[in-house]
Amino acid sequence: MMRKLFLLTCMAAALTLRVAAQEISIAKGWKFAIGDSTQWASPTYNDQNWKPISLAHSWESQGYKGEDGFGWYRLHVVIPSSIKEKAYLKDSVCIYLDAVDDNDEVYLNGKLVAKYGGKGSDIKTGNYGPRSYTIAANNPAILWDKENVLAIRIFDTGGDGGIYGNKFTIGMADLMDPVSINNDAEFSYGDNNSLNKAIKLTTTSNYVYKGKLAFKVTDPENNSVIYDKTNDVQFTAGKPFTYTFNIARLEKRSYRVSYTFTEEKSGKSITKTDGTPYVLTPYPSSKPQINGPDVYGARPGNPFLYLIPAGGKRPLIYAAEGLPDGLKLDVNTGIITGVVNQKGDYPVTLTVKNNLGANTKKFIIKIGDVIGLTPALGWNSWNAFGLSVNDEKVRVAAKTMIEKLSAHGWNFVNIDDGWEAEQRAASGEIVTNQKFPDMKATTDFVHSLGLKMGIYSSPGPRTCGGYLGSWQHEDQDAKTYGDWGIDYLKYDWCSYSEVTAKIPNLDDMKKPYQVMRASLDKIHRDIMFSFCQYGMGDVWKWGAEVGGNSWRSTGDITDTWKSMSDIGFNQIADGPYAQPGHFNDPDMLVVGKVGWGDNQHNTHLTPDEQYTHISLWSLLSSPLLIGCDMGKLDRFTLGLLTNDEVLAIDQDALGKSAKQAIKTDNYQVWIKDLADGGKAVGLFNISDQYQTITLNRDENDLKGLTKIRDVWQQKYLITSGNTYTAKVAPHGVMLVKLSK
Ligand code: GAL
């Protein structure tokens, strides 16, 4: 997001321990007021009557329940010049705030010195997160050795708000603060599957950094060192140092790679780590194979669209026996279209052929009241592009889906926030902004490929991104979506708190979804309805009754182990509510190149964490919405997203969520019942060391299930006796299917 006012970033210092004398804590002594006033930035403003506030918790938990919007924090603090003495870089001061919810402006003695979030002059959009602001040590806003007034203006978009966390400091920027080890380049595969990668050491400081770069590859199972190489390096602003390594083919698992730069004068060092990628999904076969769910639901009288997902060498020829009246199949594309008027369950036999053979699959089309019988599989623009999504990016996503993913069942192309205008048309109709010149044309294009189109809105006057919401225009918006041909609506909560009770009760929480449900019911389209209110009011208990096909059960995900694992392994209370047509949504996928804006980076999840992410979300029967730049799918990510046996677990017709069966400090086992009587089991290592995890068939209803299959590698495992034991990598998973 926007970070205009600071010069360099002091993140590294925030994450490493540093000499205490170089910084002071600003964790205590703050005062607080709800509301907004320009005077509150002023050092002479009298805040004597403001209430004290702790930075350990949100403002909600300190007497400001239900307060969203603006709030101010003020602190009187002496900044001693002695903190400069031990610092190598004496020119930059760092203010570190360990999480701001959601956006902020930082004033030092009345002057704006840093800011996060917002469009133009407001700070109403952005993201919760840590802030590390760097300002020049000679900035006249800093009063050295005197009392300073630090005033922070916060805008909370909803839910918890404020400044809260563990570490809050003002200090000199550390020598390593302006240094970064950029390991964002992709691992590439050379001859014989050797792995290559280029690492860059960069700095924004004019200081000339000299020292050593140690490159090390270790086996995480026994910590043995496989490669170890140290190079002399030198770099400064504008003159980075690049190191390229090439390591020979490794086994099918992830190795730990570390890059450590040690500066020679100070002895200080920084380290970055990687995990080597490894592809488990078998190489796709040329023989024809039908993938995708066993059941598909549509409503009578509404337009029907289904692309038969099929792998194998093109061209493929499709056939469908037993299609209900009103449907027709294009035998060359596999797209089924039409309208069925008669309710009922229609068993169909699908066939696909190429010059290497044929494959058939039994499939049931259920024409009735419930759609979305299996969780949605698709792409959503948010985790990749945030508000910078545009028409071209959406078309790239659709084309890529057809080229690389639809054969495995992926079919939704969903535009998140950022497509709407800021003003409605004179008629009150919703209109797009200039990034989407013709939504109908885009939707037609997506449909022509056999794919479906999704869109986003919010029940308040504004979306979370500050664009138009549907407040008091629900009927009109639903009609517009229908005219465009929209198939999926993600409906947020943002700014609805401005128009409902300060502390909404259950009825208040249901209301906006009931209103939009009624509006959607007036148009003749099957539109998947996805609630995005972060789990408020235990939405899983009432989401189905209010007509949701899925509901977010958590806040927003990010691409860290903490975020992904905290969310994924806590899907317990909501589990029993998953059922065909109605699923819990622990938020979208964070694999591939993510970025929430203009710049994308490779996900910060390690390869093993990514296997965990996809396995766990599949076990939970979650909608799988890819959140990456689809134009840049690498081989590893593609392997994660195209494993038909893994996707079959997610798409299982029973629609149940896995249950946590075993939980220890180091590992967890989750078990999901499957429609064929088998069980999908995830053995998850949540620790930092290899773990040996044992599954006992006498426990957890596994009796009689004698066959055991490694789902990622798609092969049966040979086991004897009643137990199955797997060695599982740190933060990794062994996903198996047990059957009779
Ligand atoms: C958030 C939502 C995100 C994204 C964003 C758009 O509330 O959780 O997934 O939709 O709004 O502004």
Side-chain angles (χ1 to χ4, degrees), residues 711-733:
V711 181
W712 279 103
Q713 301 213 52
Q714 303 185 357
K715 58 185 191 204
Y716 284 104
L717 297 166
I718 298 170
T719 54
S720 62
N722 242 355
T723 55
Y724 163 67
T725 297
K727 272 192 189 164
V728 185
H731 295 185
V733 61

Side-chain angles (χ1 to χ4, degrees), residues 31-32 44-52 74 76:
K31 290 190 156 187
F32 177 73
T44 56
Y45 176 78
N46 184 351
D47 56 24
Q48 242 172 11
N49 294 326
W50 282 26
K51 295 259 168 63
R74 284 172 61 96
H76 298 251

Side-chain angles (χ1 to χ4, degrees), residues 382 416-417 456 464-465 490 492 494 532 534 552 556 587-588:
W382 186 251
D416 206 282
D417 202 357
Y456 163 98
C464 302
K490 170 175 174 181
D492 214 314
C494 273
C532 177
Y534 332 114
R552 276 273 292 277
D556 288 18
D587 206 3
M588 302 175 289

Side-chain angles (χ1 to χ4, degrees), residues 167 292 380 407 416 460 558 591 677 686 717:
K167 187 180 151 112
N380 171 295
D416 206 282
T558 55
V591 301
I686 52 173
L717 297 166

Side-chain angles (χ1 to χ4, degrees), residues 23 38 117 172 233 347 400 412 451 484 494 529 597 614 628 713:
E23 67 185 19
T38 48
M172 298 310 296
V233 297
T400 310
F412 279 103
L451 302 176
W484 286 340
C494 273
F529 195 18
I614 303 294
C628 71
Q713 301 213 52

